[in-house]
Amino acid sequence: MAQLNMTGWVAIGVPAALTIRLITVAATALLAGRPRPCRWIASGGSALASALSAMVALQVIAAGRSIEGFLFLHGASGIAFGYTVTPLSAWFLIVLGIVAVPVALYSVPYLAHAVAPSRTALAGAGFNVLLGSVEAVFVANEAVAFLCAWEVMTLSTAALVALEHEQRSSRQAAYLYLVMSHVGAGCLLAAFLILGSHAGSLSFPVMFAVTGLSGSLRDTLFVLFLVGFGVKAGLIPFHIWLPEAHPAAPTNVSTLMSAVLITTGIYGLYRFCAFGLGVPDQAWALGLMGLGMLSALLGVLYALAQTDLKRLLAYSTIENSGIIVLGLGAGMMARAHGHSTLASVAVAASLLHVLNHAVFKGLLFLGAGSVVMANGTRNIEHYGGLLRRMPWTGLFFIAGAMAISGLPLLNGFPSEWLTFQALLMGFTSTAGVVRLNFPLAGAALALTTALSAVCFVRAFGITFLALPRSPQAARAHESPLLMLLPQAWLALLCVGLGLFPGVALGALEGVIASLPGLQSAPMTAGPGGMSSGIGSFDAVIPGLLGVAALTAFLATFLATRRGVVRRVSTWACGGTLTPQTEYTATAFSKPLLMIFTSIYRPRREVDALAGASPYFPQEVRYRAEIEPTFERYVYAPLVRLVLRAASGMRVLQAGSLHTYLAYVLVLAVILLMWLGGTP
Amino acid sequence: MIPDPLFTTAWALLHAGGMLAAAPLLKTVIKKMKARLQNRQGPPLLQGYYDLAKLLQKEPVRSETASWVFVAGPRVYFAAAVAATTLVPVLFASAPLEAAGGILLLVGTLALGRFALATAALDTGSPFGGMGASRDMTIAALAEPALMLGLFASALAAGTMNLGVLVRGLVERGPAWHPSDLLAFAGLFVIVIAETGRIPVDNPATHLELTMIHEAMVLEYSGPDLALVEWASAVKELLYLTLLVNLFMPIGIATSVEAGAVLTSLLAWGGKIFVLAVAVTVAESTNAKLRLFRVPELLSVSLGLAFLALAIRFL
């Protein structure tokens, strides 16, 4: 382990990064009237700050020890905001840096095309405030700083989601996001106050060290933390804000929301639910595994029914969040049964998936942003044939699509492989009926992976292949170089992390060692291999298969090469081939909608507008929608209940000053009587 | 990691080459047996090779709307099938590239091939390609949990997911079957029928596009592209049957490189594959093709069998 030089740049790295961000925000605000330098300053400052904090984080992971310091220190009043970069925080900071730097580069041309010049300063400043608050969340070491950073993160995201506030959907999405986030933040506040009052301090190390909490109190804290962080992580049933907010925000913000904001929720689940309340109960672990499975399955099923490209990606984020939480739940189950090595395998799988998801989801969102910018619409049914017009975007998008489908040679496969290992070894290590949970989770994970492959064949195929389905798609042109380079970098990372999973896993060993109750397992077999860590259950070297597959591919390609290939038009059953004969995205997922009809409950309306005769309709209107189960059956009744309670309480606001004075008098008397006796 | 790169490469090439050579024969044997059951003569046994040779010599005709994805699709599908064969033990109780991975990597590699083929099917702009891709990916998605659980049942019983180690363990243990093996075998047999596109899931000999699942995906290919797709499908079928054979009945498999052992293993493998081919033929000939939306019910039966296999063995 390398020696950590605390007196060097590492000691001031985190405060320096935050200072750079503050300066960038100020400069962006000052340059509000000049969009071009404003964009460059905002993106450049953001990239610099993200890179700096990621480098500090790398040092922390390499050394395996936390670093501490102060962000703000006022000697006279004693106000101090400290920070601690634990190896776990460092891992999340690295994930942040890996995504934030390309997104910053992407923002420069993107903001020019997608955001009005008058809003550029707000977009740039908001971007930096968002990233700065996320970094502060990861490094906060006491509750007040944590909650302040959490709130700033929520508000800046809401501001960015509502950037195009002329559109009603943006306003509604931002409002929904604010309400859900504050419900979560309320739960977090309650949990911190309860835990803090028992521990006597709001500092995290003290709070985590408290013992002697009763079972029901621990359960309450667990549920409060779960709700609070589950909202941010996008776990079902707290997910309803995610599919609205992600599409409404500009793409650089959507990318960050999917890749980074979700991870703040995951980080909270790790720090508080899994490793902050002592040894977890089996019921908690089962709860997390169940929520993870539900999120994964429902996320991908809803993604399959979407025709809005960014909404599809948002639901896919819910799916991957579910997979991460499933791994975490399996780890907690192992810890509950005392298997610390197995727990480390499950936690490693989960953290690895955090990194891999950020990389491929970032890539997919950037590609989607380019496509939306070129076409002017988010509706997949209006795309088509974009591979000819946007070849590089298409190439990078297919790399992301293959990665998210968990195919070998790309980075989705190693983390899902490791999650399977954790689940299977969990099955053999536990006893009793509860062990059947693991093969059930394994089957759910297999179904999720396969369904996400269907989803992304659909997304890529309908968007980029065949003929353009609208005039805009026929006129689309490739994105500028600064938007392609970040995608190329992320695609290269997808391939690199897929062929050399041992590198990321090796970095995780330091993180695993720092978490309480986990024992490191030898999960790497060189930079190119992974093993299941316990016994010799399984091992994989994707690169070896890659060599075999590449050899076979090249041999086949060269052997079947022909000089001249005859190109003819596709047979359209005797008619002319038009875009109308192509398969649509709705049709592609229709079999699955029919098979899972009990989950989707689809409804459709078909109107045929008759022309001269009802047998020759002039126009056919088709409208299909799936049942918004959670919005209609969970949240709508809740909202109605809250509104009813609020209007019931309106009788208290009589409007008369005398009544209010009477309230104060009565309350004062009651309080005196109640508290008067206590010393 | 790998003991001797040169030896492993040579063995992998021989292994893959052997599977490639044997695959068309399996397909033709099944066709001929089906024909005989229908009171027809059926094609000559070498017809599979004649067809491949004919297709490889023809000129490829491709659609104007197709891009590089259409050209890459069959080649990636073929390469994935060939690479997958190197992970599975056939004649010996070890596979050439077994160090590369086990069950999960095998399923993932076949999924990679299917992804490429399904994506390429959408490239021509023909509605049949989209329909075939949609149906094939849907059925594959529903078959995947059952496939995984069935394979996990035998893997967990042996304590390893590496196919070579698994088969060696089974050979050492000797013929001792557990009732869960029968259930897992039944479940996996149904999955093999689904994955190789045979009746009752899909009819490989149909000419009606609206009844096609796999064939609709490859409707637009001709010449060498079609040869690659058909060859790869045949290899996949042989691979699945070999997997079934060696996971449940690895009797007679060679544990050393002696001529006698190898010959015995070859005959035993050939005989067992023939028996499974007869089972596939009987299943195809005595069942009617299921309606598309009845297939999930069949696959859930398979999932239930696999789950029961796990429950019986471990509870």
Side-chain angles (χ1 to χ4, degrees):
Chain A
M1 291 210 289
Q3 271 303 90
L4 190 58
N5 186 7
M6 271 299 292
T7 57
W9 58 274
V10 175
I12 54 153
V14 174
L18 281 173
T19 318
I20 293 176
R21 285 207 196 273
L22 283 171
I23 297 174
T24 312
V25 170
T28 312
L30 283 173
L31 285 169
R34 304 173 58 203
R36 198 147 176 249
C38 183
R39 280 197 303 273
W40 279 99
I41 295 284
S43 303
S46 169
L48 192 60
S50 306
L52 186 57
S53 48
M55 286 199 293
V56 170
L58 270 171
Q59 292 290 320
V60 169
I61 285 202
R65 284 183 22 225
S66 319
I67 58 169
E68 293 182 353
F70 287 100
L71 288 172
F72 178 77
L73 193 55
H74 191 233
S77 60
I79 297 176
F81 284 123
Y83 74 88
T84 310
V85 185
T86 58
L88 182 68
S89 315
W91 179 254
F92 284 93
L93 280 174
I94 291 177
V95 171
L96 174 62
I98 284 181
V99 176
V101 172
V103 172
L105 193 62
Y106 182 93
S107 305
V108 176
Y110 179 76
L111 285 178
H113 288 107
V115 172
S118 54
R119 304 242 174 96
T120 309
L122 179 60
F127 187 77
N128 277 293
V129 170
L130 173 60
L131 282 173
S133 56
V134 170
E135 284 171 10
V137 163
F138 287 145
V139 303
N141 61 0
E142 53 98 33
V144 175
F146 187 89
L147 282 173
C148 284
W150 193 262
E151 192 62 25
V152 172
M153 187 173 73
T154 304
L155 291 174
S156 57
T157 318
L160 288 168
V161 167
L163 201 66
E164 291 169 24
H165 54 77
E166 304 84 21
Q167 291 187 15
R168 191 150 180 262
S169 57
S170 293
R171 291 201 303 273
Q172 281 183 324
Y175 185 67
L176 181 59
Y177 173 65
L178 275 175
V179 170
M180 295 289 297
S181 295
H182 282 108
V183 167
C187 294
L188 286 183
L189 185 62
F192 279 134
L193 288 176
I194 296 177
L195 192 54
S197 70
H198 276 270
S201 152
L202 284 175
S203 158
F204 287 163
V206 179
M207 282 206 284
F208 294 154
V210 74
T211 52
L213 293 171
S214 73
S216 58
L217 187 63
R218 281 180 75 215
D219 287 338
T220 318
L221 283 172
F222 177 79
V223 171
L224 285 172
F225 279 130
L226 180 63
V227 174
F229 292 118
V231 170
K232 247 334 179 276
L235 283 182
I236 288 180
F238 313 116
H239 68 286
I240 56 168
W241 61 272
L242 222 157
E244 311 287 334
H246 281 56
T251 301
N252 54 347
V253 177
S254 303
T255 314
L256 282 178
M257 285 173 77
S258 261
V260 165
L261 222 64
I262 305 298
T263 59
T264 57
I266 306 283
Y267 169 74
L269 284 174
Y270 262 89
R271 202 110 197 257
F272 299 97
C273 288
F275 295 104
L277 295 172
V279 179
D281 284 347
Q282 185 179 282
W284 300 357
L286 281 175
L288 268 186
M289 279 178 79
L291 279 184
M293 274 197 281
L294 190 68
S295 304
L297 272 175
L298 283 182
V300 72
L301 282 175
Y302 284 132
L304 276 161
Q306 303 303 318
T307 49
D308 178 334
L309 186 57
K310 286 170 80 170
R311 242 178 114 95
L312 187 152
L313 291 174
Y315 272 112
S316 171
T317 301
I318 296 177
E319 173 217 338
N320 282 286
S321 192
I323 296 178
I324 294 170
V325 169
L326 177 63
L328 178 61
M332 282 171 71
M333 179 74 101
R335 258 197 92 197
H337 288 264
H339 303 293
S340 41
T341 9
L342 178 59
S344 72
V345 174
V347 167
S350 179
L351 286 175
L352 189 62
H353 201 69
V354 171
L355 172 67
N356 289 333
H357 172 245
V359 174
F360 56 60
K361 191 47 69 61
L363 173 61
L364 285 169
F365 256 109
L366 291 184
S370 304
V371 166
V372 170
M373 201 174 87
N375 281 281
T377 169
R378 295 201 303 254
N379 192 347
I380 293 188
E381 309 278 25
H382 294 159
Y383 297 159
L386 290 177
L387 195 59
R388 295 255 157 122
R389 313 284 311 177
M390 307 170 75
W392 290 106
T393 310
L395 179 66
F396 301 138
F397 196 91
I398 204 176
M402 288 169 72
I404 202 170
S405 311
L407 300 177
L409 309 182
L410 289 151
N411 65 344
F413 180 74
S415 44
E416 287 184 5
W417 183 90
L418 202 56
T419 314
F420 270 117
Q421 300 302 319
L423 289 174
L424 288 170
M425 291 192 293
F427 179 70
T428 49
S429 315
T430 47
V433 187
V434 74
R435 79 196 303 203
L436 276 184
N437 206 23
F438 287 102
L440 195 67
L445 186 60
L447 183 61
T448 305
T449 313
L451 285 175
S452 72
V454 183
C455 184
F456 282 91
V457 167
R458 171 182 183 255
F460 175 79
I462 304 287
T463 306
F464 287 97
L465 300 178
L467 291 171
R469 293 179 179 81
S470 70
Q472 294 93 337
R475 285 195 306 259
H477 55 86
E478 183 65 280
S479 317
L481 184 67
L482 274 181
M483 284 170 73
L484 289 175
L485 282 177
Q487 295 177 55
W489 157 246
L490 288 172
L492 268 170
L493 261 187
C494 279
V495 176
L497 286 172
L499 290 176
F500 300 105
V503 175
L505 261 184
L508 267 177
E509 276 176 15
V511 180
I512 300 283
S514 75
L515 291 169
L518 295 183
Q519 200 172 339
S520 264
M523 280 177 288
T524 53
M530 294 198 297
S531 84
S532 55
I534 303 175
S536 56
F537 193 63
D538 198 5
V540 73
I541 308 172
L544 197 55
L545 184 88
V547 168
L550 192 64
T551 317
F553 178 80
L554 283 174
T556 317
F557 182 73
L558 292 171
T560 55
R561 217 155 162 206
R562 297 285 184 273
V564 175
V565 171
R566 192 149 55 105
R567 293 268 172 178
V568 296
S569 59
T570 311
W571 172 247
C573 295
T576 359
L577 189 76
T578 63
Q580 270 69 41
T581 49
E582 290 170 14
Y583 227 55
T584 62
T586 316
F588 197 93
S589 50
K590 196 81 166 93
L592 277 166
L593 258 76
M594 289 179 72
I595 291 170
F596 288 103
T597 189
S598 51
I599 296 178
Y600 288 116
R601 267 151 352 147
R603 277 200 327 256
R604 71 167 190 188
E605 290 165 23
V606 183
D607 284 322
L609 280 84
S613 149
Y615 300 107
F616 297 96
Q618 259 182 345
E619 196 179 293
V620 178
R621 294 223 184 113
Y622 175 87
R623 191 187 136 86
E625 70 171 10
I626 58 173
E627 171 99 85
T629 316
F630 290 97
E631 286 87 337
R632 188 171 296 173
Y633 297 111
V634 176
Y635 285 96
L638 251 165
V639 167
R640 277 199 296 273
L641 189 70
V642 167
L643 287 176
R644 227 195 348 240
S647 58
M649 286 202 283
R650 209 187 300 163
V651 297
L652 287 175
Q653 295 178 288
S656 147
L657 188 58
H658 304 297
T659 327
Y660 297 156
L661 286 173
Y663 290 155
V664 174
L665 181 64
V666 168
L667 194 61
V669 168
I670 292 177
L671 277 175
L672 278 171
M673 288 199 305
W674 184 28
L675 296 172
T678 55
Chain B
M1 270 181 337
I2 319 149
D4 182 1
L6 206 59
F7 169 73
T8 313
T9 316
W11 184 17
L13 285 172
L14 265 173
H15 184 104
M19 292 286 273
L20 278 175
L25 184 62
L26 171 69
K27 210 160 191 161
T28 321
V29 162
I30 295 182
K31 262 194 209 164
K32 195 158 179 93
M33 286 197 288
K34 260 173 76 172
R36 280 301 169 87
L37 274 178
Q38 293 168 10
N39 242 346
R40 294 187 285 119
Q41 282 295 326
L45 279 176
L46 295 181
Q47 186 62 40
Y49 300 103
Y50 298 152
D51 284 339
L52 283 176
K54 174 189 79 172
L55 285 171
L56 281 169
Q57 287 166 17
K58 290 197 171 220
E59 78 169 322
V61 178
R62 295 184 187 138
S63 164
E64 286 168 338
T65 39
S67 62
W68 59 264
V69 174
F70 186 75
V71 181
R75 285 152 183 81
V76 174
Y77 185 58
F78 186 81
V82 167
T85 59
T86 57
L87 295 171
V88 178
V90 177
L91 293 181
F92 297 97
S94 50
L97 290 183
E98 68 181 43
I103 292 176
L104 289 169
L105 189 65
L106 176 68
V107 175
T109 312
L110 293 172
L112 176 66
R114 195 170 43 231
F115 187 97
L117 201 65
T119 313
L122 286 163
D123 206 5
T124 54
S126 154
F128 299 125
M131 187 188 76
S134 157
R135 290 175 172 185
D136 196 79
M137 292 295 285
T138 303
I139 291 186
L142 296 172
E144 187 124 328
L147 175 65
M148 292 279 211
L149 274 190
L151 291 173
F152 288 165
S154 37
L156 288 172
T160 173
M161 295 246 276
N162 188 306
L163 287 165
V165 177
L166 225 176
V167 172
R168 284 195 288 276
L170 285 174
V171 168
E172 271 177 38
R173 191 191 66 178
W177 288 290
H178 194 268
S180 79
D181 284 333
L182 192 63
L183 286 173
F185 182 82
L188 279 176
F189 188 73
V190 173
I191 294 299
V192 167
I193 298 271
E195 293 267 352
T196 53
R198 299 222 162 251
I199 295 177
V201 174
D202 181 15
N203 186 354
T206 182
H207 300 288
L208 306 168
E209 291 92 349
L210 294 178
T211 63
M212 292 176 178
I213 298 177
H214 179 82
E215 298 300 314
M217 252 197 331
V218 302
L219 206 56
E220 306 288 332
Y221 291 119
S222 59
D225 302 336
L226 184 59
L228 288 176
V229 171
E230 297 216 333
W231 208 347
S233 302
V235 169
K236 262 179 72 169
E237 178 142 27
L238 186 60
L239 185 69
Y240 274 118
L241 291 181
T242 307
L243 197 62
L244 271 184
V245 156
N246 284 340
L247 276 184
F248 292 99
M249 298 165 281
I251 308 171
I253 204 169
T255 42
S256 56
V257 198
E258 297 164 352
V262 174
L263 196 61
T264 321
S265 173
L266 182 63
L267 288 171
W269 175 72
K272 286 182 256 176
I273 295 286
F274 181 73
V275 168
L276 275 186
V278 170
V280 169
T281 312
V282 169
E284 277 208 284
S285 306
T286 54
N287 283 303
K289 190 176 97 77
L290 285 173
R291 253 192 70 198
L292 180 65
F293 293 108
R294 293 259 183 263
V295 175
E297 294 173 13
L298 179 67
L299 295 174
S300 56
V301 166
S302 168
L303 181 65
L305 284 173
F307 208 74
L308 269 178
L310 270 175
I312 291 184
R313 186 159 218 144
F314 291 104
L315 272 188

